[in-house]
């Protein structure tokens, strides 16, 4: 019996090209897994009966990909997992989707997420939470939780997510897969429904660095349709796989190993360090002194941008429209009924920080601190080539555990947020398991536009470990979690 869970996407695509596998065999293998496991995971919110076929050849051609439901696939529904957009269809194609099609990939499914990407657990979705394939009582992380869970459970070989404050890396960490957030500007945001326009980036979620490098090759590149997209060439990231790393210097920021870090996570990161040390890689203790302000800074800037970006969902142009007798009531009713509690919290927080009288004290102040956080990284990168940290302070928490405590939810992004504020590339990759068999992720942060060093290091770690090859112990259960 064919078992594609043991192969990475690039090898499956190669086997197809060499006619060692047929297209039908591959499609039915993944279809069967989706039928068996998606009902209990709730990771894919729509699997296309007729996937959008791509034309073109690339190392990953012919394979199906899941797309987070905030990236526009022309003609398909796009909801951001929000009631307010529940009937909306994309009228244009995101640049990344065009690129995937040009590379011959198939757009196969829409993945669950936190509403408008607000969250760290995928519990705020209007479709109900996604369950962690490693333990169905636990969260998958968020906000790209559907993408991470689907890849972890091998329902598809890979997925796209988006990362504003950790939304690719944190769920990747909690699900035991590789999640890469490219440098701000590396991937076009055209067709990504904006949360925080100065922070958002689209990136791949895969089972290995090999697939990650190939997917980055496809989605990166300048795009005239996104004014923040960088005019910089895309290297062939696959050339960074399995290179010599002995000259690389890695920084360990002392602020990331302080209180609040679960001992099991700390031990796993120490394991990564020893592995690299054996490869003659040098470690230097560094300091990122403004780390303690990152969460507060991010929640002011992110929510301010979100409150402004979400103004367009007013009942006139998109999705839901609630019955009313005048214009003001139309806005109020539509937005009150259409947005969930976390989206409303962000809109309130952002509107408050931007309002006259508070603008200087909150928003402008946060921009100044953002600059200091970026300067911390600039100084660190004078000494080191990459930075190693945990991705998340803990393994996956229980569903419902933090829903009534937004602050504790926000603090779960403590290690991922600064990267977005500074616009840097970073990746989370599997580096261990807790004693109750939950995945642990390590994060590598790079200099702007130096994704290559992260791929070098990550693939070097992968060569000597098999954490990324572990498959969650799923049992068939036909009952859908939120029915
Ligand atoms: N968890 C963070 C938040 O809720 C990050 C979300 C994201 O990256 N989209 O804002």
């Amino acid at each position: 019996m064919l078992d594609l869970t043991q192969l990475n996407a690039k090898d499956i695509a190669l086997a197809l090209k060499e006619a060692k596998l047929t297209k039908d065999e591959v499609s039915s293998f993944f279809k069967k897994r989706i039928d068996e496991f998606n009902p209990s995971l709730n990771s894919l919110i729509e699997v296309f009966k007729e996937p959008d076929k791509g034309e073109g050849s690339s190392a990953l051609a012919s394979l199906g990909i899941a797309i987070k439901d905030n990236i526009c696939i022309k003609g398909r529904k796009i909801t951001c997992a929000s009631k307010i957009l529940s009937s909306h269809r994309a009228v244009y194609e995101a640049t990344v989707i065009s690129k995937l099609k040009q590379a011959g990939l198939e757009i196969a499914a829409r993945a669950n997420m936190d509403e408008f990407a607000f969250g760290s657990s995928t519990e705020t979705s209007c479709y109900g939470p996604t369950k962690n394939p490693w333990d169905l009582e636990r969260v998958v992380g968020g906000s790209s939780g559907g993408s991470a869970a689907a890849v972890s459970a091998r329902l598809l070989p890979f997925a796209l997510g988006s990362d504003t404050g950790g939304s690719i890396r944190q769920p990747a960490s909690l699900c035991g897969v590789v999640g890469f957030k490219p440098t701000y500007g590396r991937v076009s945001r055209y067709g990504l429904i904006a949360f925080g326009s100065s922070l958002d980036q689209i990136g791949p979620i895969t089972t290995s660095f090999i697939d990650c490098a190939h997917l980055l090759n496809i989605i990166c590149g300048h795009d005239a349709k996104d004014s923040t997209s960088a005019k910089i060439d895309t290297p062939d990231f696959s050339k960074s796989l399995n290179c010599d790393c002995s000259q690389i210097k890695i920084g360990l920021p002392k602020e990331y190993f302080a209180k609040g870090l679960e001992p099991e996570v700390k031990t796993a990161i120490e394991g990564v360090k020893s592995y690299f040390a054996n490869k003659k890689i040098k470690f230097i203790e560094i300091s990122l002194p403004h780390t303690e302000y990152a969460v507060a800074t991010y929640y002011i800037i992110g929510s301010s941008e979100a409150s402004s970006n979400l103004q367009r969902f007013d009942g006139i142009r998109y999705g839901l429209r609630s019955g009313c007798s005048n214009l003001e009531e139309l806005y109020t009713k539509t937005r009150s009924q259409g947005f969930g509690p976390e989206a409303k919290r962000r809109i309130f927080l952002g509107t408050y920080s931007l309002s006259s009288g508070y603008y200087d004290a909150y928003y402008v102040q946060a921009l100044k601190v953002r600059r200091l956080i970026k300067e911390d990284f600039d100084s660190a990168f004078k000494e080191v080539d990459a930075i190693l940290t945990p991705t998340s302070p803990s393994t996956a928490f229980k569903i419902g555990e933090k829903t009534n405590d937004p602050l504790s939810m926000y603090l779960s992004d403590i290690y991922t947020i600064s990267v977005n504020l500074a616009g840097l590339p970073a990746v989370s990759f599997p580096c261990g398991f807790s004693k109750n068999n939950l995945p642990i992720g390590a994060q590598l942060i790079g200099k702007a536009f130096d994704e290559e060093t992260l791929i070098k290091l990550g693939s070097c770690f992968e060569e000597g470990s098999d954490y990324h090859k572990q498959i969650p112990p799923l049992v068939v259960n036909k009952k859908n979690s939120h029915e």
Side-chain angles (χ1 to χ4, degrees):
M1 173 65 191
L2 184 72
D3 185 6
L4 298 183
T5 61
Q6 299 302 319
L7 294 182
N8 61 44
K10 198 203 117 235
D11 290 340
I12 301 174
L14 190 65
L16 275 169
K17 222 173 273 170
E18 292 174 346
K20 291 186 181 140
L21 282 174
T22 67
K23 185 83 209 340
D24 271 357
E25 282 172 324
V26 175
S27 316
S28 29
F29 177 83
F30 288 111
K31 185 180 175 309
K32 182 159 180 275
R33 286 191 72 85
I34 291 174
D35 290 346
E36 285 178 347
F37 304 126
N38 195 51
S40 50
L41 294 173
N42 194 29
S43 60
L44 302 173
I45 50 185
E46 184 184 355
V47 180
F48 303 140
K49 286 205 179 69
E50 292 290 330
D52 284 18
K53 297 242 185 320
E55 285 168 24
S57 62
S58 70
L60 304 176
S62 305
L63 299 180
I65 186 165
I67 306 293
K68 185 175 182 180
D69 202 29
N70 59 353
I71 301 174
C72 292
I73 310 164
K74 191 174 178 187
R76 303 281 188 186
K77 272 177 118 180
I78 172 140
T79 68
C80 290
S82 177
K83 244 167 80 181
I84 208 160
L85 284 181
S86 53
S87 58
H88 186 59
R89 280 181 189 273
V91 290
Y92 64 96
E93 193 100 289
T95 297
V96 287
I97 302 294
S98 312
K99 282 177 176 281
L100 291 170
K101 288 185 182 171
Q102 281 155 20
L105 275 76
E106 288 188 358
I107 313 302
R110 291 162 47 225
N112 204 1
M113 56 183 282
D114 275 299
E115 185 179 7
F116 283 104
F118 301 140
S120 314
S121 65
T122 313
E123 290 170 291
T124 68
S125 164
C126 71
Y127 300 101
T130 299
K131 312 279 176 70
N132 193 311
W134 292 92
D135 176 347
L136 297 177
E137 289 182 6
R138 292 182 186 266
V139 301
V140 277
S143 63
S144 314
S147 301
V151 175
S152 162
R154 280 32 174 201
L155 306 188
L156 298 124
F158 36 47
L160 287 189
S162 70
D163 191 311
T164 307
S167 274
I168 290 176
R169 291 160 287 153
Q170 186 255 14
S173 167
L174 271 43
C175 290
V177 291
V178 177
F180 203 110
K181 180 205 111 57
T183 309
Y184 184 79
R186 181 64 102 176
V187 177
S188 169
R189 292 184 297 111
Y190 180 76
L192 167 70
I193 297 194
F195 161 177
S197 309
S198 76
L199 302 157
D200 300 338
Q201 264 297 277
I202 296 173
I205 297 182
T206 58
T207 57
S208 69
F209 272 92
I210 300 174
D211 293 345
C212 175
H214 286 286
L215 210 42
L216 284 171
N217 279 352
I218 297 171
I219 62 171
C220 292
H222 173 67
D223 179 15
K225 292 178 183 152
D226 169 6
S227 63
T228 62
S229 136
K231 286 203 176 99
I232 188 163
D233 289 340
T234 306
D236 179 352
F237 292 111
S238 68
K239 293 210 170 112
S240 301
L241 294 165
N242 311 109
C243 298
D244 175 32
C245 291
S246 57
Q247 301 307 311
I248 298 177
K249 278 192 240 123
I250 299 183
L252 292 170
K254 62 173 198 272
E255 294 80 3
Y256 285 58
F257 294 90
K259 70 171 190 321
L261 178 60
E262 267 182 14
E264 284 183 306
V265 178
K266 189 161 179 243
T267 308
I269 307 301
E270 277 160 5
V272 179
K273 187 185 161 200
S274 321
Y275 178 89
F276 283 142
N278 277 332
K279 300 273 172 197
K280 311 246 169 330
I281 292 173
K282 286 198 185 48
F283 281 86
I284 299 174
E285 190 183 89
I286 56 165
S287 172
L288 298 167
H290 296 92
T291 301
E292 64 174 302
Y293 306 112
V295 172
T297 306
Y298 166 84
Y299 276 92
I300 291 179
I301 296 175
S303 304
S304 298
E305 294 184 11
S307 71
S308 160
N309 279 322
L310 264 52
Q311 281 178 27
R312 64 180 65 114
F313 304 113
D314 55 5
I316 308 283
R317 286 167 294 176
Y318 309 91
L320 184 80
R321 177 177 299 173
S322 303
C324 60
S325 51
N326 61 49
L327 186 62
E328 195 174 332
E329 204 181 306
L330 171 88
Y331 292 153
T332 318
K333 268 200 176 168
T334 304
R335 289 170 67 85
S336 305
Q337 290 168 2
F339 288 127
E342 185 59 29
K344 286 179 186 154
R345 187 177 293 123
R346 305 286 173 117
I347 293 170
F348 287 141
L349 194 60
T351 307
Y352 185 84
S353 317
L354 291 176
S355 58
S356 91
Y358 297 101
Y359 182 84
D360 286 332
Y362 292 100
Y363 183 66
V364 174
Q365 187 69 6
L367 292 180
K368 290 179 186 162
V369 182
R370 179 181 194 170
R371 161 62 61 144
L372 296 174
I373 289 170
K374 180 175 176 302
E375 286 172 358
D376 283 355
F377 282 106
D378 291 346
S379 339
F381 282 126
K382 286 190 184 128
E383 274 188 275
V384 298
D385 308 298
I387 295 172
L388 174 68
T389 78
T391 306
S392 165
S394 70
T395 52
F397 45 91
K398 287 261 169 77
I399 290 176
E401 191 181 317
K402 295 187 197 249
T403 32
N404 295 325
D405 186 356
L407 195 57
S408 124
M409 187 75 89
Y410 297 173
L411 284 170
S412 59
D413 302 320
I414 187 131
Y415 303 136
T416 50
I417 269 174
S418 300
V419 163
N420 300 72
L421 291 169
L424 302 173
V427 60
S428 176
F429 58 98
C431 71
F433 285 90
S434 69
K435 58 180 179 315
N436 42 9
N437 208 30
L438 295 171
I440 299 173
Q443 173 173 243
L444 281 164
I445 307 170
K447 295 177 186 167
F449 298 104
D450 184 20
E451 285 81 0
E452 288 155 290
T453 297
L454 306 184
I455 295 170
K456 281 182 195 163
L457 287 168
S459 57
C460 163
F461 183 75
E462 218 166 69
E463 236 173 7
S465 71
D466 64 358
Y467 301 117
H468 65 291
K469 292 190 184 142
Q470 306 304 314
I471 317 271
L474 288 161
V475 284
V476 182
N477 173 5
K478 289 278 175 196
K479 198 176 165 324
N480 198 330
S481 49
H482 67 280
E483 273 169 3

